Every structure is written in structure tokens, then in C-alpha cells.
Amino acid sequence: MAGLTAPLLGLEKKSLREQALSALRTAITSGELEPGRHLVETELSEMLQISRGTLREALRQLEQEGLLSAGPRGRLSVRHLDGKEIRDIYAVRAALESLAARTLCELPDRQHVTKSLHKAIDAMEDATTGTLEERIESDLEFHRTLCRLTGNETLLHSWESLEGSIRMSIMFAGLEKGVSNMSVDRHKDIMAAIDTGDAALARQTILEHMDTAAANLVA
Amino acid sequence: MAGLTAPLLGLEKKSLREQALSALRTAITSGELEPGRHLVETELSEMLQISRGTLREALRQLEQEGLLSAGPRGRLSVRHLDGKEIRDIYAVRAALESLAARTLCELPDRQHVTKSLHKAIDAMEDATTGTLEERIESDLEFHRTLCRLTGNETLLHSWESLEGSIRMSIMFAGLEKGVSNMSVDRHKDIMAAIDTGDAALARQTILEHMDTAAANLVA
DNA sequence: CATAAGTCGACTGTTTACAGTCGGTAATGG
DNA sequence: CCATTACCGACTGTAAACAGTCGACTTATG
């Protein structure tokens, strides 16, 4: 009765591996670990206060997420993205999200969908006065919600696997440029298209949104 | 001068982790490790003759590829796919491959593309008299080539991340059903559409191919 | 002085050992 | 006979130690 450490609500304590994963992801996508930087396992494990074995499990995952690139002899470094890679990432992102939009349009009852998307847009509006990071966060949350609402776990998972790369793309372009095209109106258009169930329009709106976003980033 | 073990041609010796990864992937997608089966680290490490630490790194990757699912206490088991999940996987696959087709159609010079695809189709024809596994392999190789030829590394990587799930889908349906719709003609249609540069047609052909494939699998 | 052999240091690959936790089962008390 | 507690076995989480390899720097040698 006295203990009550915290795990009350779904807030399960995360394993060290997961903590390290989050910490590293944040460090990379925030630029704290700059692109091209060599990662030394012993250094990181000491910084994070975890053992190398545990750390390596996290590194493998980051590697597969495309945040790290492997050098000659297992040497890992923070991945560097050039303009083409950013465009490529956004092309895949566009394909995934347009599938999401199409799927949502085909749902018989889109009431709940519209409601959730509206909530996400409200969050974006709240964030317009916040920090750059908060604006990016709310923007990504909208798109993640788009994928989640489809109920297609594979789609959501694929998108989330890309999320790290997306964040890096934004960071590469400089945060200011990255958020410059995160207009709330754009997202309202997407929601509206889905609301009407016009799959072709929704798809087109998404593709255009992604195109301009990618173009802004590499410009 | 006497040694000359083997690493002469790009055939670098793979790390134990990679070997374990391949072995486990094969074991799972071949059904040797049946769906739902609980994986015990100590058992596997003994089977594969590697340490648990090394094994765990491989398991993390398989988990992220969607071949394993994590239970309550970090317990891993071979993922079980139901009809909906197979359809979901193929929906994502279709989105990725239709992006590939569209990208290829937009290339200024598709000569090399057509040549490579033709080679892949020839391999499929050669395999028609081979084992089921060989036919599946050549089929997947065609689609993988489709993605690779785009030059979009992210697209290729996303597709390959899905490949394990695709193989599982085919296995779930029973190998016979899985290959029943791998007609060479279908793939020739795809190639032809790309050859003419008709993006809309190529996209449509891919989507239909995926739709019928998924429908066959869950039927 | 240039080149080849040798030595040192830094990292990754891999293994072994230890700790914590959950589930079941047997012992115990009413 | 039922419930409760104490223990035991099985696994995963985590840490620490061992081994091999590559590169850089140094030293010997013609």
C-alpha cells in the first residue's frame, strides 16, 4: 500500500534498452549527435550508464531505422542525408500516407476518424505559439494518427520505421525551414477530403503536401 | 600465399549475428518454426551454437521485421498472421511497388530497367519447372528488382523490411496456393507498362496484381 | 633516407556470469 | 478440504570479461 512506484496506468517501466533507444533517437534527431559523427560503443554505454550488450541491441534497431549507417568494420556513424535521399524518403512517406488516406476514405463510418483528426489539428493550432520542436511534434502526430486510424498495423509500423528519417530530414534542412510549410490549413484540406470520402482528392492532397514539403526541405 | 580462405570476391565472411539472422528467417518463413511457437533464447542459442547476447541482437531485428511478436515479459513468439493482416501487408506492399513503378516510368532512359526486368522474368520462366521455393524466390526477386531499379534506397529498404512478412503470408496460405498466382504473364504486363512509360497503367497493373495475389492468399 | 617489420592502442565481435521476476507447485495452517 | 504461503525452476534483463582485428606509430635495416 505504501510502494506504489508508478506502473499504475499503462505507464509500464521501460527496459533500459528502450530508454537508450529513445535517448539516442532524440539525441540524433535533435542534432546533439551531429550527422557523420562516429559512435563508439564504449563511449555511449558509459554516457548512458548501460552495458555494451544492452546498448548494441538498441543500436541495431536505430541502424534499421536508417538513423545510423554502418562503416567498414561495424563502425557506426550518424547517417548523413543529402537532397536526393530526403526526396526519396518523402516519396516513400507520400506513398504510405496516400494509402492511409485512401483506406480511410473507404471506411463505412468515418465519424470517429474525422473526430480524431480534428483533435490532432487542434493540437497543431495550440502548438503554433509553442517551440519549433512542439510544432514538429504535433505535425508528425497528425500524420501518425492518419496511419493509425486505418487499423492497418503494418502500415503504421512502416510509417514509424520511417519517422526517424523524416525527423532527420527536417533537422537537416534547419528547423525553421522544416516547419515553415506545416500550415494548419494544409492539414485541414487533408481532413476535409477524407471527410467527404473522396479518395482521389485525398490522395492528391497528400501527394501535393508531401511534394511541397520535400521541395521546401531541399531548397 | 597458402591461406586464401575465400573472401576474395565480395563474399565477405558474415558475422555470427548475420548468420543467425538468415538462419532464423529461413526457419520461420519455411515453417520450421511454426507460427505461435514460443522462442526461448537459451534454446535457440544452443541450437545455433552462439551466445545469447549475439542471438538477442538478431532477434531484435526479426522483431522489427514483423516476424516475431513480443509477449508480456519480453517473451518472443513466431508471429501469427490472420487474413486481415495478410491483406494489410499486401496493401502496404502494393503502395510501395506502385511507387516503384511510377518512379521507373518517369526515368528518362528505361533501357537498362527493361533489360533488368526481362532478366528477372527469364529467371522466373526457368523456375517454372523448379521447386515451389525456387518459384517464390524468383517471383520475389522480380519485385525486389523493381524497387532496386528506382535507385531509391529508402524504398528498397522499406520493401525488404516487409519481405519477411510477405514470405510468411505466402507460407500461411500454403505454398501451393501462394505460387498459384505467380504467373509470368502478369509480370510481363507490369514490365510492358513500365516499358511504355505509362505510369497510370503501370500503377494499375501493380495494384491489380497485388489485389488478386492477396485475395488468393486469404481465400 | 626509404621501406619493411614490429608493437601498441582502440574498437568491435562474442562469450560467460549474475540478478531479478514470474508462474507453478508443494508444504502448511485453519 | 481449501486457502495461503514458501520455495523452486525457467527465462529474460543486464553487466562484465575475453578475443580478434585493423590502423597508426615506431623501430630496425638495407
Side-chain angles (χ1 to χ4, degrees):
Chain A
M1 192 191 267
L4 188 46
T5 43
L8 233 43
L9 276 160
L11 318 169
E12 321 162 13
K13 64 174 175 183
K14 288 191 296 183
S15 67
L16 290 185
R17 187 188 78 244
E18 290 171 282
Q19 290 177 240
L21 201 52
S22 302
L24 288 173
R25 245 196 297 253
T26 302
I28 292 173
T29 58
S30 75
E32 190 182 328
L33 291 174
E34 72 277 10
R37 163 134 175 194
H38 265 41
L39 297 184
V40 179
E41 295 179 357
T42 50
E43 275 181 26
L44 288 180
S45 68
E46 184 151 348
M47 283 184 192
L48 299 169
Q49 297 281 14
I50 62 176
S51 75
R52 273 185 58 220
T54 303
L55 172 71
R56 281 171 65 94
E57 291 185 38
L59 290 179
R60 290 286 157 262
Q61 190 156 343
L62 291 173
E63 189 182 350
Q64 200 168 353
E65 281 180 24
L67 271 64
L68 303 180
S69 62
R73 205 166 64 265
R75 294 300 182 58
L76 294 177
S77 52
V78 179
R79 187 173 168 204
H80 180 83
L81 298 179
D82 60 20
K84 175 187 184 305
E85 288 171 310
I86 292 178
R87 274 189 295 267
D88 284 352
I89 289 168
Y90 268 69
V92 175
R93 183 186 174 186
L96 293 177
E97 294 195 21
S98 77
L99 166 62
R102 186 162 63 85
T103 305
L104 292 177
C105 284
E106 286 165 0
L107 287 179
D109 181 19
R110 290 185 300 285
Q111 204 168 14
H112 175 248
V113 169
T114 307
K115 201 172 127 193
S116 295
L117 289 180
H118 200 82
K119 215 170 107 185
I121 287 182
D122 282 345
M124 286 188 69
E125 279 175 335
D126 290 346
T128 49
T129 59
T131 67
L132 290 175
E133 284 76 9
E134 284 169 347
R135 295 174 64 187
I136 293 175
E137 203 57 50
S138 66
D139 177 81
L140 289 179
E141 176 58 25
F142 174 86
H143 293 278
R144 192 187 303 114
T145 300
L146 210 61
C147 293
R148 186 187 306 117
L149 288 171
T150 64
N152 183 334
E153 287 294 326
T154 302
L155 172 56
L156 178 59
H157 186 261
S158 294
W159 190 90
E160 287 178 337
S161 295
L162 214 58
E163 184 173 348
S165 296
I166 295 170
R167 295 185 118 100
M168 279 195 86
S169 301
I170 295 173
M171 183 196 63
F172 259 79
L175 296 177
E176 303 76 18
K177 241 198 286 184
V179 295
S180 66
N181 60 317
M182 288 179 186
S183 82
V184 175
D185 286 343
R186 278 277 192 189
H187 294 77
K188 280 184 179 170
D189 290 345
I190 295 172
M191 185 183 70
I194 292 173
D195 194 30
T196 63
D198 187 338
L201 175 62
R203 173 178 148 83
Q204 199 55 37
T205 309
I206 290 269
L207 291 184
E208 280 172 16
H209 180 47
M210 289 297 121
D211 261 9
T212 61
N216 263 349
L217 288 179
V218 300
Chain B
M1 191 192 270
L4 187 49
T5 44
L8 233 43
L9 275 160
L11 318 168
E12 322 162 14
K13 65 176 175 183
K14 289 191 295 184
S15 67
L16 290 184
R17 188 187 76 244
E18 289 171 284
Q19 290 177 240
L21 200 53
S22 302
L24 288 173
R25 245 197 298 251
T26 303
I28 293 174
T29 58
S30 75
E32 190 182 328
L33 290 175
E34 70 277 9
R37 164 136 173 192
H38 264 46
L39 297 184
V40 179
E41 295 179 357
T42 51
E43 275 182 26
L44 288 180
S45 67
E46 185 150 349
M47 283 184 191
L48 298 170
Q49 298 280 16
I50 61 176
S51 73
R52 272 185 57 222
T54 303
L55 172 71
R56 280 170 66 94
E57 290 185 38
L59 290 178
R60 291 285 158 258
Q61 189 157 343
L62 291 173
E63 190 182 351
Q64 198 167 357
E65 281 180 24
L67 271 65
L68 303 179
S69 63
R73 181 109 210 104
R75 296 296 177 74
L76 294 177
S77 53
V78 179
R79 187 173 168 205
H80 180 82
L81 298 179
D82 60 21
K84 176 188 182 305
E85 287 170 311
I86 291 178
R87 274 189 295 269
D88 283 352
I89 289 167
Y90 268 68
V92 175
R93 182 186 173 185
L96 293 176
E97 294 195 22
S98 77
L99 166 61
R102 185 162 63 85
T103 305
L104 292 177
C105 284
E106 286 166 0
L107 286 180
D109 180 19
R110 290 184 300 285
Q111 206 168 12
H112 175 247
V113 169
T114 307
K115 201 171 126 192
S116 295
L117 289 180
H118 200 83
K119 214 170 108 185
I121 287 182
D122 283 346
M124 286 187 70
E125 279 175 335
D126 290 346
T128 50
T129 59
T131 67
L132 290 175
E133 285 76 9
E134 284 170 347
R135 295 173 64 188
I136 293 174
E137 203 57 50
S138 66
D139 177 80
L140 290 179
E141 176 59 24
F142 174 86
H143 292 278
R144 193 187 304 112
T145 300
L146 210 61
C147 293
R148 187 187 304 116
L149 288 171
T150 63
N152 183 335
E153 287 294 327
T154 302
L155 173 56
L156 177 59
H157 186 261
S158 294
W159 190 90
E160 287 178 337
S161 294
L162 213 60
E163 184 174 349
S165 296
I166 295 170
R167 295 185 119 101
M168 279 195 85
S169 300
I170 295 173
M171 183 195 64
F172 259 79
L175 295 178
E176 304 76 18
K177 241 198 287 185
V179 295
S180 67
N181 60 319
M182 288 180 186
S183 83
V184 175
D185 286 343
R186 277 278 193 189
H187 294 76
K188 280 184 178 169
D189 290 345
I190 294 173
M191 185 183 68
I194 292 173
D195 194 31
T196 63
D198 188 337
L201 176 61
R203 174 179 148 82
Q204 199 54 37
T205 310
I206 290 269
L207 291 184
E208 281 173 14
H209 180 48
M210 288 298 120
D211 260 9
T212 62
N216 262 350
L217 289 179
V218 300

